[in-house]
Amino acid sequence: MNILLLGSGGREHALAWKITQSTKCSQLFVAPGNAGIAQIATNVAVNPMDFNAVKQFVLDNAVEMVVVGPEDPLVKGIYDFFKNDSALSDIPVIGPSQHGAQLEGSKEFAKQFLVKNNIPTARYEAFTKDTVEAGCDFLKTLIPPYVLKADGLAAGKGVLILNDLTEAQQELSNMLVDAKFGDASSKVVIEEFLDGIELSCFVLTDGKSYKILPTAKDYKRIGEGDTGLNTGGMGAVSPVPFADAEFMQKVEERVVIPTINGLKNDSIEYKGFVFIGLIKVGNDPFVIEYNVRMGDPETEVVIPRIKSDLVELFQAVANQTLANAVLETDKRTATTVMIVSGGYPEDYEKGKAITGLDQIEDSIVFHAGTAEKDGNIVTNGGRVIAVTSYGENFKDALKQSYKNVEKINFDKKYYRTDLGFDL
Ligand code: AMP
Ligand code: GLY
């Protein structure tokens, strides 16, 4: 069948890599894709947020399945757009309904869902510009650091963690009154700080049943030792060594099952990935956030550890027969190291020629932000290339990734050399 994948990053390259290995896939189109994806699939110049353009492409090219990489089209309602259009309603969209996508689109919605379903999470309250004073008072009842979250999508920048009460009160006002994150911060969730180590749990669901995919841990900060600004992710490891069987049983019982049941009980249509951001406090899991898509760069380690046919799993999701499907995973560890443009996550330059891609041995290269220019592959984003490797343990896998990372070069290349330091 012909499949259309929406997105253009390392996550989409990893998904495309896996989808094209399926005998069920005759042609894979990726909108808009990147230079790496172009080597294995057909890139198409369609904006994933322009649903009418997506519709036209799907109809013109006999597309029989749409897989959504990033959150924006989901939060905008692409699932419902297909479902409600008689020309498209038979074509499955892998991703949640607009209602389900609120788990990522609104922090308050997610917190209400967590509380309603008795899923462990930090205590919180939500405020608007009419209740700034109450918000300032609520901050006084908390022990620092203070966690402030813009309710809406803010490109991963909407969470502030502050040590000082006065500063937290000032930032609350900046977010609510001065629209620091635009519309996204017209509501702010303030929550208790949880002290622990973070990991991500990925679930594929058809709305009735679920499969827990390999766990992963990403490294969000730009600097060594988890310092400096937040990024989209500088690398990842799967599985997470400290997420042992006992811990994962708690995750399944306390988090995954109540999440799937909560969606069912509220009649929220959900046929796609759930990305559960967890924090391990002592030996117990707490939910930090939900995302309604796969993580990036977590996908670059999770997908290579899935042995089963991904398109068959997607078909089972669409037909709601996931309970009968088998998920086979690779026992080995996978790691990925992200090579980024110097300056990222602040200002950086694009268009730098990338060399060494043909020198890579025993790793998988996933392109994140690349483009083709005059026959050369050039940088086209902050995060540029992810180098994924397998190993018997995370140290071996990382060693292999780093060996190949050194061969890839471009002007002002940067990467973190300390991934796994905390494991
Ligand atoms: P979020 O966008 O909700 O995942 O938040 C971004 C980051 O802020 C998370 O990955 C955590 O590192 C941190 N964070 C969010 N909420 C909390 C919390 N309640 N306690 C401690 N850290 C948090
Ligand atoms: N790596 C974190 C994310 O995809 O949101």
Side-chain angles (χ1 to χ4, degrees), residues 22 52 77 131 166 188 190:
S22 170
N52 282 311
T131 53
T166 316
V188 171
I190 301 179

Side-chain angles (χ1 to χ4, degrees), residues 28-39:
L28 177 66
F29 300 103
V30 187
N34 62 36
I37 293 170
Q39 294 168 357

Side-chain angles (χ1 to χ4, degrees), residues 11 104 200 218 220 231-233 275 289 291 293-298 383:
R11 167 182 50 214
E104 178 164 359
S200 305
D218 83 337
K220 290 199 173 80
T231 70
F275 165 165
E289 65 165 346
N291 293 306
R293 49 165 174 91
M294 285 298 291
D296 193 351
E298 292 93 330
R383 294 190 292 171

Side-chain angles (χ1 to χ4, degrees), residues 107 111 121-123 145 147 149 156-161 191-196 198 218 220-221 230 277 279 287-291:
K107 298 272 187 206
K111 293 299 279 191
T121 191
R123 190 166 65 91
V147 183
K149 300 185 173 186
K157 299 202 171 76
V159 176
L160 301 180
I161 299 184
E191 66 180 42
E192 192 179 44
F193 181 82
L194 296 174
D195 198 4
E198 285 177 62
D218 83 337
K220 290 199 173 80
R221 303 295 196 94
N230 256 325
I279 188 159
V287 175
I288 291 270
E289 65 165 346
Y290 285 110
N291 293 306

Side-chain angles (χ1 to χ4, degrees), residues 74 226 249 275:
L74 295 166
D226 284 345
Q249 193 177 338
F275 165 165

Side-chain angles (χ1 to χ4, degrees), residues 84-105:
N84 298 327
D85 186 312
S86 58
L88 301 175
S89 56
D90 289 341
I91 300 166
V93 174
I94 304 303
S97 63
Q98 189 168 31
H99 193 186
Q102 285 301 297
L103 284 179
E104 178 164 359

